[in-house]
Amino acid sequence: MTAVMPPGTATAAAAAPVPPAPTRPVLARDWRRLARMAAVGAVAQIFIALSNMPVRLDERVVVKPVLSLGYLTLLIVPFAAGHRVGHQIKREGTPVHAAGAHEVAGGAACGALAAGGLSLLAVLLANFDLREPLVNWSPMLAELLAFGNSTSFAVVIWLLIGAAVGASGGLMRLLGPRTRRAAVTIAITVAGVAVMEPLVVDLAEGMGLEALTDRLYARRGGLEWVSALVLAAVAGILAVLGRGRLREARNRIAVQEGAKRTRTNFGLILLTGAALVILPLFAGKLTNELLANVGLFVLLALGLNIVVGLAGILDLGYVAFFAVGSYTAAVLTAATSPRIHPEMPWLVALIFVVVITGLVGLFIGAPVIRMRGDYLAIVTLGFGEIIRLLFLSDWLSGTFGGSQGITKIPGAGIFGLTSVAGTDPRRVFYLVLAFCAIAIYVSWRLERSRLGRAWMAVREDETVAEAMGINTVNVKLLAFVVGAILGSFSGAIFSAKVGSVFPNSFLILVSIVILVVVIFGGMGSIVGVIAGSAVLIGVLGGPKQPGLLAEFSEFKLLIYGALLIWMMLARPEGLIPSVRRSRELHQEEMAQDAWLKGQVEDDTANGDTATAPAT
Amino acid sequence: MTATTASAVTRPLLETRKLSVDFGGLHALDQLDLEVHEGEIVSVIGPNGAGKTTLFNAITATVALSDGDICFEGASLLGLDPNRVTARGIARTFQNVRLFANMTVLENVMVSQHCRTRQHAFGALFYTPSFRREEAEIRERAEKILSFFGSRLMGYRFDQPAFTLSYANRRRLEIARAMATQPKLILLDEPVAGMNPVESAELTGLIGRLRDEWGFAIVVIEHHMDVVREVSDRVVVLDHGTKIAEGDYEEVSNDPTVIEAYLGHGTETT
Ligand SMILES: Nc1ncnc2c1ncn2[C@@H]1O[C@H](COP(=O)(O)OP(=O)(O)O)[C@@H](O)[C@H]1O
Ligand SMILES: [Mg+2]
């Protein structure tokens, strides 16, 4: 049997000498593309401007005195449009045109037109008053767009800015991979250091390095432009010198196998753990508070990850278990709890929290778990709301305090050694860290067990899983309960940290945010979920908790949504995907790889004529 | 043939009595009586839509019966969930291959041992010796089962996701998965469909070895008559949900009602 060529392999193209890539002719198609891109960009610009982000975020300086966060939000779209417009769809067999001046020109044109949306807006702002339907239609916006000058200045300057930014977007296509990487590193470093200002200042103070941060940041926030330049230079040099090495190291680890890999992983975990234990000692209140908040969400997200990521149960009411955990701990530990107030030590109460949340999980899960897919999602959404409404209700207000909630909850006492309360975020963080470690261990062990495999099988195909002898109801219920218990830990710590619980801390929004964290980070991936929490909760902030960019809190949901959409388009497997999930989303490539590998390794004498993989 | 005569005395492994399944007004299975004895390979043949797959679905409790009874080792299977039926000792493959596509080859076989193993969350969390022992056993058994198919599901293929397999290998993995549930009876739904003659001949041999080496009783739905001739102790012919003939291959293939059923639909109109 002769080897069959895999579909779509262009042997002829590979065999023929590669013709010199011609400069690309501008086609009618390209004009259409440019116009479309520019139109979308212009609309997006107007939307961003009218969302009031620029005005509200103008306070927060990124690089003093040239760039504020507000203006930054207006530069993203022209840059992206300018970059995107030069994108060539690479088809096998068709020559790829060398990127050249026309990429820059196209980018500039597209960027100018996109930013032209702002010019248009400036003109409209000057001549009409549409405050009635558009609440953010304000003179402040007009002033911001015109940099304090006249309207005609605004019109011209935005076209120019757009052209420049768009051109640099197009320019990115001309750079070689190394230069581009360096450019990206520089941008990320400068933006990162600027964004993390509160954190860096806080840490520097703890380590007695105020002198450095005083130099770095302007007095009223933002990087000094000089320090921004220095930072960029340093980042650039480091990128050029070190980046290749970092990648090398990563590749070296990636190919390790067996015991060696385990040892490397163990070392990495130890290192990270040590850093997380030591770091808070040098950090002030602000950093620790932030870390504690992120940790609480990591805990929640890890719990939900077992339910959604491993067992494939789309639970939209996960906040219910967070609420039950919080309220149980509050009732059992607080002296002020209206009806029952045993004033237990926190650790003892925790045992009850686990038992009670487990039971609630069973109680909610038992009827719900028999449903599949969308039905299940809707019903869990309902149950999540029901739990909150129960805590709010007059009927149970004798026990849970209704809308008044339960206040004056004491901190979490640990064996009488210390008491962990919100007044000392460092201790809260250590407590959260301990429970995160437990949750990570639980997720990691369960995934690699008989139970974890059964969860995956259920996620893949419930009917077949059942036919293979898996009691799907039990297995799913167990995932639900394990997830519930992990969430309740977070709740119990939350109530001790905040010192009070109210029904409106447990809105549907919390469920959604946790789910977004899991999806954004990478479903089924422990590291991904942690990274997702760090980025979304740490930088943008949680439902009620401020993040590093506290100014964003008003626009948090908008940005969550935009990020989620972008993620689904660009990288559906999430920030740091689980191996399995990325395979799942790249089945075709994988199948072809395996098929080619099979071609090489299997002798056809094997009788295994590799039929090109079906489906 | 000795199998048939000998088992006539003993109690059948699987027995359906007046088995009926209705879909709306359609009688997919109509008062079907069927027996399968220990160590026997029974082929079920019949034109498309005769109700063969429905028979498997009924036995494995994936469709509801409208009438009749199914006994396995003397006990009724009525009212059991599909996973309980599997635990009793009946495994199946699917006509339209349904692997756990994103799990690896090895995991597919490991997870199918679920009902024969018992380690739970506790063992996994505390990494107990019994947990480790069982995990090792599960893996060992999975490897042994996969080695039954020669080298092509072995080695690097262990850790390849199932969707990367060739069509023939997917069918093989389906059988491996059924074997992993440690059944007494395996139901194979068109196991050689889509295979080329070489592969199909090889699998025919494997079906025989499944009985001889592993001791499974087998019911196989098949369209390829050379496969049927090769493997069957007994052939059952279905048409419109009823049994129209039964016997060894020679008897059945010469039976006028069978020929009528296969060809008759055409000849009626002429
Ligand atoms: N789930 C179902 N719902 C309705 N009709 C079905 C279902 N499954 C099978 N049938 C019908 O029952 C008849 C027998 O189908 P099947 O057992 O799949 O035939 P085959 O002998 O080809 O395997 C067919 O007419 C089919 O359309
Ligand atoms: Mg069929």
Side-chain angles (χ1 to χ4, degrees), chain A residues 441 445 449-450 453-454 460-461 464 466-467 469-471 478 580 583-584 587 594 598 601 606 608-609, chain B residues 83 86 98 101-102 107 111 114-115 117 119-120 124-125 127 135 152 156 160-161 163-164 169 177 196 199:
Chain A
Y441 178 78
R445 285 262 34 115
S449 74
R450 168 174 175 266
R453 286 190 296 267
E460 292 286 306
D461 190 331
V464 178
E466 188 152 32
I470 296 167
N471 187 334
L478 200 63
R580 202 176 298 279
R583 271 193 210 139
E584 191 173 330
Q587 283 200 4
E601 293 193 12
N606 210 333
D608 187 353
T609 37
Chain B
N83 64 302
T86 310
R98 286 173 80 172
N102 294 299
E107 280 171 343
V111 76
H114 192 87
C115 62
T117 45
Q119 285 299 319
H120 233 286
L125 290 183
Y127 206 51
E135 277 295 292
R152 56 175 89 68
Y156 79 96
Q160 297 250 299
F163 67 78
T164 62
N169 271 341
R177 212 170 50 169
N196 67 27
E199 291 163 344

Side-chain angles (χ1 to χ4, degrees), chain B residues 22-24 26-29 45-57 63 95 189-190 221 223 238 241:
Chain B
D22 292 351
F23 293 118
L26 176 80
H27 301 295
L29 285 180
I45 62 171
N48 261 328
K52 306 180 295 293
T53 299
T54 306
L55 172 65
F56 279 12
N57 288 342
V63 295
Q95 182 176 352
D189 199 342
E190 307 202 8
I221 296 175
H223 280 302
L238 293 190

Side-chain angles (χ1 to χ4, degrees), chain B residues 7 9 33 46 73 99 123 195 235:
Chain B
S7 53
V9 199
D33 292 322
E73 299 184 299
L99 295 168
M195 289 190 178
V235 180

